[in-house]
Amino acid sequence: MTDFKGKIGRTLADSEPHFEERPHPGNGAPNVVFVLLDDTGFAQFGCYGSDIDTPNIDALSADGVQFTNFHVTPVCSPTRAALLTGRSQHAVGMRGLAGWETGFPHAAGHLSNAAATVAEVLRDEGYATLCAGKWHLNPGTAVSAAGPFDQWPLGRGFERFYGFLPGETDQFNPELVRDNSYIDPPATAEEGYHLSEDLVDQLLLMVNDNKGLRPDRPFFAYLPFGATHAPHQAPQAYLDKYRGRYDEGWDVVRQRWFERQVELGVIQPDTTLAPRNPGVEAWDDLSDNQQRLACRLQETFAAFLDHTDDQIGRFVDGLRAMGELDNTIFVVMSDNGASQEGGAAGTMHEMKHFQGITESPDEAVERIDDIGGPRSHTNYPWGWAQCGNSPFRWYKTHVHEGGMHVPLVVHWPAGLGEQAGTKRNQFTYVSDVVPTIYELLGVTPPEVYRGIEQMPVTGHSFASVLDDADAPATNRLQYFEFAGNRALIVELDGVWWKAVARHFPGADFDTEPWELFDLSADPSECNDLAAAEPARLTELIDLWWQEAEIHGVLPLDERRLELFIPRLLDHSVHRPDRRYVYRPPMTPIPTRTAASLTDTVVDITARVTGAASDEGVLISTGNENSGLSVFVQDGKLVVDYNAFGDHTIVESSIEVPAGDCTLGVHLERVGAAGWIEVSIDAQACGREAVPRYLMTFTSVGISVGEDHRSAVSARYSAPFTFTGTLHDVTVQLPGGQDPDTDEVKVIAAREWSRQ
């Protein structure tokens, strides 16, 4: 009662009421929408040069302002951190992928609470805050149904959320969350389900709920698609549309896209098209099967992007129908450049790239018609990724332009006026977006939020650039860093310079070479001036170190793959004894929070009670593309080890008895291969060799007592729930195992860094 601002007397007659009013941004305040695509390169929208059909994004660009010199970080989580906070990604704790916790402030695994998100700020200004899509901003060990939930979207300012928490998901069989609870998708792939459509359906529902009941209340809507991150998956009609579109190959197509970029004014006429990256072969030197596979993979990417564009169009149409589009600041962008994670030839399953597994195109084309559907987890080859990053060099994860120079479109009919339909070549960076929104809305971010002193918003508003095509850039000094790759872009005496160092694991940070480019004359980084202008290069390197000190970039840390290995803590989902006991019913367990069923040694023990006729899955991980399932069928204990479609089946030689019994599975790696043994009541009764023992199956975690959604084994239909009584399943992993010594992990780390 201490905050009551009225008066309390002995009776109502001598009392004065007071009614608290929630904040309101004022009549006519615009809505704000951020649409974020994933792994989409600078050239891949139609309005940026490609021949992929993106009419809805193109229309937003034609009626808005199109930025041609916009930069982000080279990977997803840091870009999202900088976008949502308006601050340096390192300063807010996200130097790399979400979940990389190193014990240093720049890698906390989540957004710092000293950096309020735009959702938190706008919510407190009276906005509805809505999110549908990919989050990827909290530790992987904190994404299960056990929480903690403080860094989930609802914990960081969003009032409603529908989507997925980790870095990727299957578009036909996603691991979905509504608010703080895991849910099943509303339909199956066979029924026509696709995640991108579902996300837009749900976001439109949220907006309609808000505007139908509170038409006075503006909204901030964040729509971070899973597209176009692998797996590249699209409805069949879109796949069919692009058949044969890219038969000329990446050399011819990239040249055509480049020429169209010049024609559209996206790049300057004197820009040089960068040469093929090392590892990208001339198209004419590829075999017929290499070309067939590469074409189909690029067709699938195009179909995926086309389909995503149509979903953006549906959302735009929804806003238009409710009369909200004109007064909505609508931002469309990508989180980094096109991905190299498909390898030189492309892959039927992206996880092969991270395990150093080379897939022969001659083998892959045998399943070519699966590409793009539920039975694939594809990513395209380097040649098409560089095509998507035209005219630049390199890819996602690199701080050369191909990794971080991406599209940005701002559409706002009520606010842009005569600037609609124009382009901007001023340098801008992802952390500049939110300060621009704050200025346009007249919002001042708080200095203290929930009792925590806030770090300053360090992005630079480019509202002046939106108002005037000739206005100077507001951000004239920007550092970049990822896993030791470093760069700095700065304007000096009217010239835009870039210093960049590509870091290789084990190289000396102090002595490895830097390149120097005059971006004003050489935006595609083709003419290295390091030898010609050593003093200038030294000046930029010194500036980089200064910026690194200011923004919390240090210490430099080259680690990547090994940071996915969770620390063992008493108060964690991964405890030092490495013993996991799961008791159904349980929500499916995401990969990073689940026991690793691909560890060097895995012992699985299930205690069951049942009749001789009972059957079903005891524990499973992965999906139909790759995974492991332990189940009872036809009276036998069965293990199906699905290594990217190569199935090793182990079946007990004796039957599972009625009543109480203990069913066991032992898995063990020997080099890159391994073996599996099954037992019933401690009696070994079946053993098979595993030709390829995987480091990880896929991004789908563990299901207990069933196989959730997509069946790992072709011997049953999901969910194949166990019909007896499953008391518990225990997974025991080796204590004190040092994952860094695993041969397969060493190979995977080398493959990760090779490109």
Side-chain angles (χ1 to χ4, degrees):
M1 298 294 287
T2 57
D3 295 331
F4 180 64
K5 297 175 183 174
K7 174 185 174 183
I8 299 176
R10 297 185 68 179
T11 68
L12 180 61
D14 57 4
S15 301
E16 296 177 4
H18 175 77
F19 299 96
E20 293 284 347
E21 292 189 16
R22 293 182 64 86
H24 192 279
N27 295 330
N31 309 305
V32 179
V33 172
F34 289 173
V35 175
L36 184 63
L37 280 84
D38 203 317
D39 290 3
T40 304
F42 180 69
Q44 287 174 323
F45 293 163
C47 56
Y48 281 84
S50 86
D51 63 358
I52 300 172
D53 293 334
T54 58
N56 298 288
I57 295 172
D58 298 350
L60 291 169
S61 175
D63 292 333
V65 172
Q66 180 181 6
F67 285 75
T68 61
N69 196 8
F70 177 64
H71 290 69
V72 292
T73 83
V75 288
C76 50
S77 297
T79 290
R80 292 157 203 271
L83 172 64
L84 292 180
T85 66
R87 300 165 172 94
S88 153
Q89 64 274 13
H90 292 82
V92 302
M94 199 65 63
R95 79 157 181 87
L97 299 183
W100 284 10
E101 300 175 84
T102 65
F104 296 102
H106 65 2
H110 62 83
L111 299 178
S112 168
N113 292 319
T117 69
V118 61
E120 289 172 317
V121 173
L122 294 187
R123 181 189 59 189
D124 286 6
E125 292 287 328
Y127 273 72
T129 53
L130 319 168
C131 178
K134 168 179 167 176
W135 184 238
H136 206 202
L137 283 172
N138 58 329
T141 53
V143 300
S144 74
F149 303 101
D150 58 306
Q151 297 297 332
W152 288 33
L154 267 60
R156 295 312 306 256
F158 288 100
E159 296 171 316
R160 299 181 69 179
F161 173 70
Y162 185 94
F164 60 102
L165 298 175
E168 69 171 48
T169 196
D170 190 287
Q171 298 292 306
F172 295 111
N173 293 286
E175 294 179 302
L176 276 181
V177 167
R178 184 191 298 278
D179 299 330
N180 282 351
S181 298
Y182 277 87
I183 62 169
D184 288 336
T188 65
E190 293 74 22
E191 294 168 330
Y193 179 85
H194 191 283
L195 176 59
S196 297
E197 297 174 14
D198 190 16
L199 295 177
V200 170
D201 288 345
Q202 295 297 326
L203 192 56
L204 282 172
L205 174 66
M206 297 178 198
V207 172
N208 283 333
D209 284 347
N210 179 68
K211 284 296 182 179
L213 298 170
R214 285 287 306 277
D216 64 293
R217 189 185 188 203
F219 60 84
F220 167 53
Y222 178 40
L223 179 56
F225 284 100
T228 51
H229 193 289
H232 297 163
Q233 296 170 317
Q236 190 63 46
Y238 289 84
L239 298 172
D240 293 341
K241 175 180 178 179
Y242 285 90
R243 290 291 181 261
R245 176 78 65 94
Y246 299 105
D247 287 356
E248 293 170 294
W250 51 60
D251 290 327
V252 171
V253 172
R254 189 163 75 104
Q255 181 66 36
R256 183 182 301 132
W257 288 10
F258 169 73
E259 292 172 358
R260 189 160 184 263
Q261 288 180 305
V262 173
E263 178 186 337
L264 292 171
V266 171
I267 58 176
Q268 298 303 310
D270 57 352
T271 301
T272 299
L273 179 63
R276 286 189 298 267
N277 292 327
V280 177
E281 297 185 56
W283 182 260
D284 290 342
D285 291 342
L286 301 180
S287 70
D288 289 346
N289 279 343
Q290 286 176 311
Q291 290 183 354
R292 284 184 65 206
L293 177 63
C295 284
R296 185 62 62 91
L297 293 170
Q298 169 64 8
E299 292 166 9
T300 299
F301 174 86
F304 196 15
L305 179 55
D306 186 338
H307 178 254
T308 307
D309 177 80
D310 279 352
Q311 308 322 305
I312 295 172
R314 288 202 305 119
F315 188 65
V316 169
D317 289 345
L319 297 185
R320 183 182 291 114
M322 65 180 77
E324 295 292 337
L325 181 62
D326 284 355
N327 198 29
T328 296
I329 305 171
F330 202 104
V331 178
V332 182
M333 56 176 283
S334 172
D335 66 353
N336 48 249
S339 168
Q340 83 283 25
E341 291 154 353
T347 181
M348 286 290 295
H349 201 297
E350 182 204 25
M351 289 297 170
K352 292 183 178 180
H353 169 79
F354 298 109
Q355 304 187 67
I357 298 173
T358 301
E359 182 178 44
S360 165
D362 296 333
E363 297 170 350
V365 294
E366 295 179 3
R367 294 181 52 204
I368 196 167
D369 289 334
D370 287 340
I371 292 176
R375 294 183 59 80
S376 70
H377 192 111
T378 62
N379 205 339
Y380 54 11
W382 294 336
W384 288 119
Q386 188 176 11
C387 183
N389 290 332
S390 175
F392 305 124
R393 302 164 60 201
W394 300 117
Y395 322 93
K396 170 185 177 180
T397 75
H398 298 134
V399 293
H400 286 78
E401 294 295 285
M404 56 189 199
H405 193 143
V406 300
L408 170 68
V409 170
V410 179
H411 180 271
W412 184 24
L416 293 177
E418 295 180 355
Q419 299 304 316
T422 60
K423 291 181 173 62
R424 299 291 185 274
N425 191 44
Q426 291 91 333
F427 176 85
T428 46
Y429 182 64
V430 60
S431 63
D432 302 335
V433 174
V434 159
T436 303
I437 297 299
Y438 289 159
E439 181 174 349
L440 294 176
L441 300 182
V443 169
T444 301
E447 295 181 3
V448 177
Y449 182 77
R450 293 186 175 178
I452 299 174
E453 184 176 349
Q454 298 291 288
M455 60 182 68
V457 173
T458 52
H460 302 75
S461 169
F462 53 80
S464 59
V465 174
L466 282 172
D467 290 338
D468 182 0
D470 297 321
T474 55
N475 185 347
R476 295 188 290 275
L477 174 63
Q478 183 61 54
Y479 84 91
F480 303 86
E481 190 275 338
F482 175 70
N485 295 314
R486 290 159 286 163
L488 181 111
I489 294 177
V490 61
E491 182 191 19
L492 298 172
D493 302 322
V495 176
W496 288 86
W497 293 93
K498 180 175 181 180
V500 57
R502 184 179 172 204
H503 178 70
F504 292 88
D508 184 351
F509 288 114
D510 291 326
T511 60
E512 63 187 349
W514 287 70
E515 298 170 280
L516 177 68
F517 300 103
D518 174 356
L519 294 182
S520 297
D522 179 26
S524 54
E525 303 172 309
C526 291
N527 183 21
D528 181 9
L529 301 175
E533 299 212 34
R536 177 76 71 186
L537 178 59
T538 299
E539 179 183 11
L540 266 63
I541 294 173
D542 289 344
L543 277 174
W544 186 91
W545 285 106
Q546 293 174 28
E547 290 296 293
E549 291 279 359
I550 292 169
H551 295 288
V553 178
L554 307 179
L556 288 175
D557 189 344
E558 68 179 24
R559 292 175 296 168
R560 302 188 190 190
L561 192 70
E562 54 267 49
L563 295 179
F564 287 107
I565 300 168
R567 293 181 301 130
L568 304 179
L569 303 169
D570 285 329
H571 305 293
S572 168
V573 293
H574 300 294
R575 290 170 295 281
D577 63 4
R578 305 195 77 196
R579 182 178 178 84
Y580 304 79
V581 181
Y582 301 135
R583 299 177 179 87
M586 287 188 71
T587 301
I589 309 166
T591 304
R592 296 290 305 283
T593 61
S596 170
L597 301 188
T598 54
D599 212 303
T600 307
V601 177
V602 180
D603 280 298
I604 301 171
T605 305
R607 294 190 308 118
V608 304
T609 302
S613 59
D614 283 324
E615 61 180 5
V617 172
L618 305 174
I619 187 170
S620 67
T621 186
N623 60 18
E624 63 186 297
N625 296 311
S626 184
L628 172 77
S629 182
V630 180
F631 55 97
V632 176
Q633 188 178 59
D634 297 329
K636 301 294 182 66
L637 173 61
V638 185
V639 177
D640 189 333
Y641 193 101
N642 178 355
F644 305 118
D646 294 331
H647 293 260
T648 299
I649 307 291
V650 186
E651 184 172 306
S652 64
S653 58
I654 60 177
E655 293 192 349
V656 176
D660 298 336
C661 70
T662 300
L663 307 178
V665 177
H666 179 88
L667 300 98
E668 189 165 330
R669 176 186 291 133
V670 181
W675 54 276
I676 303 171
E677 184 174 79
V678 298
S679 63
I680 298 176
D681 289 329
Q683 179 183 349
C685 52
R687 176 171 169 150
E688 294 290 343
V690 178
R692 188 186 298 279
Y693 196 105
L694 301 180
M695 183 186 73
T696 185
F697 288 113
T698 185
S699 56
V700 179
I702 283 178
S703 296
V704 179
E706 64 177 2
D707 188 348
H708 193 65
R709 300 285 295 176
S710 172
V712 171
S713 177
R715 291 183 50 152
Y716 57 77
S717 298
F720 197 40
T721 304
F722 185 63
T723 57
T725 299
L726 174 58
H727 300 287
D728 53 51
V729 179
T730 299
V731 179
Q732 180 65 62
L733 304 180
Q737 174 71 25
D738 181 5
D740 293 340
T741 64
D742 274 359
E743 177 184 353
V744 175
K745 288 185 171 65
V746 172
I747 294 172
R750 184 176 69 236
E751 188 67 18
W752 174 290
S753 63
R754 186 159 65 90
Q755 267 296 316

